[in-house]
Amino acid sequence: MSDEGKKSLAMVVMSGDFDKLAGAFIIANGAAAMGMDVTMFFTFWGLRAIKKNVGSGKTLFGKMIGLMYGGGIDKSHPSKFAFGGMGRWMFKKMMGNHNVQTLPEMRDLAVELGVGMYPCQMSMDVMEIPQESFIDGVKDAVGVGFFLLKAQTAEIQLFI
Amino acid sequence: MSDEGKKSLAMVVMSGDFDKLAGAFIIANGAAAMGMDVTMFFTFWGLRAIKKNVGSGKTLFGKMIGLMYGGGIDKSHPSKFAFGGMGRWMFKKMMGNHNVQTLPEMRDLAVELGVGMYPCQMSMDVMEIPQESFIDGVKDAVGVGFFLLKAQTAEIQLFI
Amino acid sequence: MSDEGKKSLAMVVMSGDFDKLAGAFIIANGAAAMGMDVTMFFTFWGLRAIKKNVGSGKTLFGKMIGLMYGGGIDKSHPSKFAFGGMGRWMFKKMMGNHNVQTLPEMRDLAVELGVGMYPCQMSMDVMEIPQESFIDGVKDAVGVGFFLLKAQTAEIQLFI
């Protein structure tokens, strides 16, 4: 239950895979549409879901991570059958054929529905991703304690 | 708590990996054996867990998915060390040696114990998998809202 | 809520990946530091997180698993960009640069904070990993029913 007496959902999003991110946003948006208070805590690979399409990292390591895992949500691969981009193309095609939203559209809807999207400060430090690299609508970075407080009172908790 | 006053478990099964599916069914069956009301919501790759051993898809994309990820639960690979089928063979052997049930046996037990196995309608649409392709005992397809309502009142929620 | 009236967290740790294990311990230690009662139920690949750096398995299969997935927590690879050990090296470097604990340090802290670390008996049987192969501080092996009882009364449940 949230402070305003709404049922609530608290989710860790650690994956940066296309399919997992689609699952995370479909669940988050469904819950928000049902009037739930929704918190998404983006950590590690999950940070890509809220990044603008820009590079990252100042040090050599940061730049390497940026090169290997650069680009925003639209560059994510499915966790199976990545095939160097072919898998992503195919799933986008199939989702389009069946009138399912694209990942960027799902994310826009999450912002509209008031889903609380929080980046993990420690992951940002380790991967050298600054707050400015996130899209508008993303909250200020928080720590794991923030997530745990939300999760303690939430009706639903998930790790994705 | 379920409508009948039982403690309840609600689970998203998105993975189609051998080891993750084994984990999902072991947890689900354990909970059902303890008298809990159990809901498994199968999405995306997880749909393979409830499919008969038949092909899928009418369009080119559907057929490709079918080819790449075809077959039912007995064709699933472990998430590590797939080795083109070798990993699956080895784990089945080791599980057999130690009197652990096979995946199809676990699934049969889930049906017997009254575990509610629900396919995700949106995933079925995108992957072009019709209701007829599922084994007996699987419920009619539902949306994410159904899962969320179950999860809101469940004592335990998991995403696998 | 635990027997002593503390808020509680119950977690299945099935993954043996570097990044997932870091996430699991960061969440567990954060919760324990906030005064929560924390249960980690290590299954399958997750068992590596609590192993000493020794081989495993008496049968051919056990030895093969040991060879392929041998070594303890310090040998875990990230779930992306393993690059034959290069990914692990890079992440350790980046975490060190930003004063994040190493995995073994996180695990030591979990022991100190009184996190309950339980190995899964069935996984130990299948993978032929004996209780002696675990570090000090690990509890005696339990079954899935133990986890489910902890999870039923826990405020937070996660599957990692």
Side-chain angles (χ1 to χ4, degrees):
Chain A
M1 201 73 78
S2 72
D3 294 342
E4 303 86 38
K6 291 181 180 179
K7 299 214 171 192
S8 64
L9 163 65
M11 196 188 275
V12 177
V13 184
M14 186 187 242
S15 173
D17 294 329
F18 179 89
D19 41 0
K20 300 276 187 73
L21 291 179
F25 279 113
I26 289 166
I27 294 172
N29 289 344
M34 285 163 68
M36 295 180 76
D37 182 79
V38 183
T39 298
M40 300 177 91
F41 181 53
F42 293 93
T43 71
F44 226 69
W45 312 113
L47 288 175
R48 103 171 311 165
I50 50 175
K51 275 175 65 186
K52 294 183 223 159
N53 284 311
V54 294
S56 73
K58 285 174 301 183
T59 68
L60 176 63
F61 296 119
K63 281 191 212 310
M64 280 176 67
I65 289 273
L67 271 177
M68 293 189 308
Y69 213 68
I73 198 170
D74 216 36
K75 293 289 178 205
S76 61
H77 292 283
S79 61
K80 306 278 171 194
F81 313 121
F83 294 141
M86 169 65 186
R88 177 175 61 220
W89 172 80
M90 199 175 82
F91 275 106
K92 283 166 88 166
K93 194 84 187 162
M94 289 185 77
M95 288 166 76
N97 289 349
H98 295 282
N99 299 313
V100 175
Q101 291 180 310
T102 64
L103 270 188
E105 285 168 352
M106 290 181 192
R107 186 175 64 179
D108 288 349
L109 182 58
V111 174
E112 248 174 71
L113 291 172
V115 168
M117 298 194 276
Y118 297 86
C120 165
Q121 182 69 60
M122 189 194 287
S123 306
M124 289 166 61
D125 290 348
V126 169
M127 302 179 88
E128 304 185 354
I129 298 172
Q131 182 80 31
E132 309 87 79
S133 63
F134 299 130
I135 59 159
D136 290 343
V138 168
K139 312 280 187 198
D140 286 342
V142 296
V144 71
F146 178 89
F147 168 76
L148 287 166
L149 285 176
K150 287 281 191 184
Q152 277 182 357
T153 54
E155 273 71 18
I156 309 179
Q157 309 88 36
L158 302 170
F159 183 99
I160 297 185
Chain B
M1 203 71 81
S2 73
D3 293 343
E4 303 86 41
K6 291 180 181 180
K7 297 215 173 194
S8 64
L9 163 65
M11 197 188 275
V12 178
V13 184
M14 187 188 241
S15 174
D17 294 329
F18 179 89
D19 42 359
K20 300 277 187 74
L21 291 178
F25 279 112
I26 289 166
I27 293 172
N29 289 345
M34 286 163 68
M36 294 180 76
D37 181 79
V38 182
T39 298
M40 299 177 93
F41 180 54
F42 293 92
T43 70
F44 226 69
W45 312 111
L47 289 174
R48 105 171 311 165
I50 49 174
K51 274 175 66 184
K52 293 183 222 158
N53 285 310
V54 295
S56 71
K58 287 173 301 183
T59 68
L60 175 63
F61 296 118
K63 280 191 211 313
M64 281 175 69
I65 289 274
L67 272 177
M68 291 188 309
Y69 212 69
I73 198 169
D74 216 35
K75 293 289 179 207
S76 62
H77 293 283
S79 61
K80 306 279 170 193
F81 312 121
F83 294 141
M86 169 65 184
R88 176 176 62 220
W89 172 80
M90 198 174 82
F91 275 105
K92 282 166 89 165
K93 195 85 187 161
M94 290 185 78
M95 288 166 76
N97 289 349
H98 296 282
N99 300 313
V100 175
Q101 292 181 308
T102 64
L103 269 187
E105 286 168 353
M106 291 181 192
R107 187 176 62 179
D108 289 349
L109 182 58
V111 174
E112 249 176 72
L113 290 172
V115 168
M117 298 195 276
Y118 298 87
C120 164
Q121 183 68 61
M122 189 195 286
S123 305
M124 289 166 61
D125 291 346
V126 170
M127 301 179 89
E128 303 184 355
I129 299 172
Q131 181 81 32
E132 310 87 78
S133 63
F134 299 128
I135 59 159
D136 290 343
V138 167
K139 312 281 188 197
D140 286 341
V142 296
V144 70
F146 177 90
F147 167 76
L148 287 165
L149 285 176
K150 287 281 191 184
Q152 277 181 0
T153 55
E155 272 72 17
I156 308 179
Q157 310 89 36
L158 302 171
F159 182 99
I160 296 184
Chain C
M1 201 74 77
S2 72
D3 294 342
E4 303 87 40
K6 289 180 180 180
K7 299 216 172 190
S8 64
L9 164 65
M11 198 188 275
V12 178
V13 184
M14 186 187 244
S15 173
D17 294 327
F18 179 89
D19 41 359
K20 300 274 187 76
L21 291 179
F25 279 112
I26 289 167
I27 293 172
N29 289 345
M34 286 163 67
M36 294 179 75
D37 181 77
V38 182
T39 298
M40 298 176 93
F41 179 53
F42 293 93
T43 71
F44 227 68
W45 312 113
L47 289 174
R48 103 170 313 166
I50 50 175
K51 276 176 65 187
K52 294 184 221 155
N53 285 310
V54 296
S56 73
K58 286 172 300 185
T59 67
L60 176 63
F61 297 119
K63 281 192 211 309
M64 281 175 68
I65 289 274
L67 271 178
M68 293 188 308
Y69 212 68
I73 198 170
D74 215 35
K75 294 289 179 207
S76 62
H77 292 283
S79 61
K80 305 279 171 193
F81 312 121
F83 294 140
M86 169 66 185
R88 178 176 59 220
W89 173 81
M90 197 174 83
F91 274 106
K92 282 165 91 165
K93 195 84 186 161
M94 290 185 77
M95 288 165 78
N97 289 349
H98 295 283
N99 300 311
V100 175
Q101 291 179 309
T102 65
L103 270 187
E105 286 168 353
M106 289 180 194
R107 188 176 62 179
D108 289 348
L109 182 58
V111 175
E112 248 174 74
L113 291 172
V115 168
M117 298 194 278
Y118 298 87
C120 165
Q121 184 67 60
M122 187 194 287
S123 305
M124 289 166 61
D125 291 347
V126 170
M127 301 179 89
E128 303 184 354
I129 298 173
Q131 182 81 32
E132 311 86 80
S133 63
F134 299 129
I135 58 160
D136 290 344
V138 167
K139 312 279 188 198
D140 286 342
V142 295
V144 70
F146 178 90
F147 168 75
L148 286 165
L149 284 177
K150 286 282 190 182
Q152 277 182 0
T153 54
E155 272 72 18
I156 308 180
Q157 310 89 36
L158 302 171
F159 182 98
I160 296 185

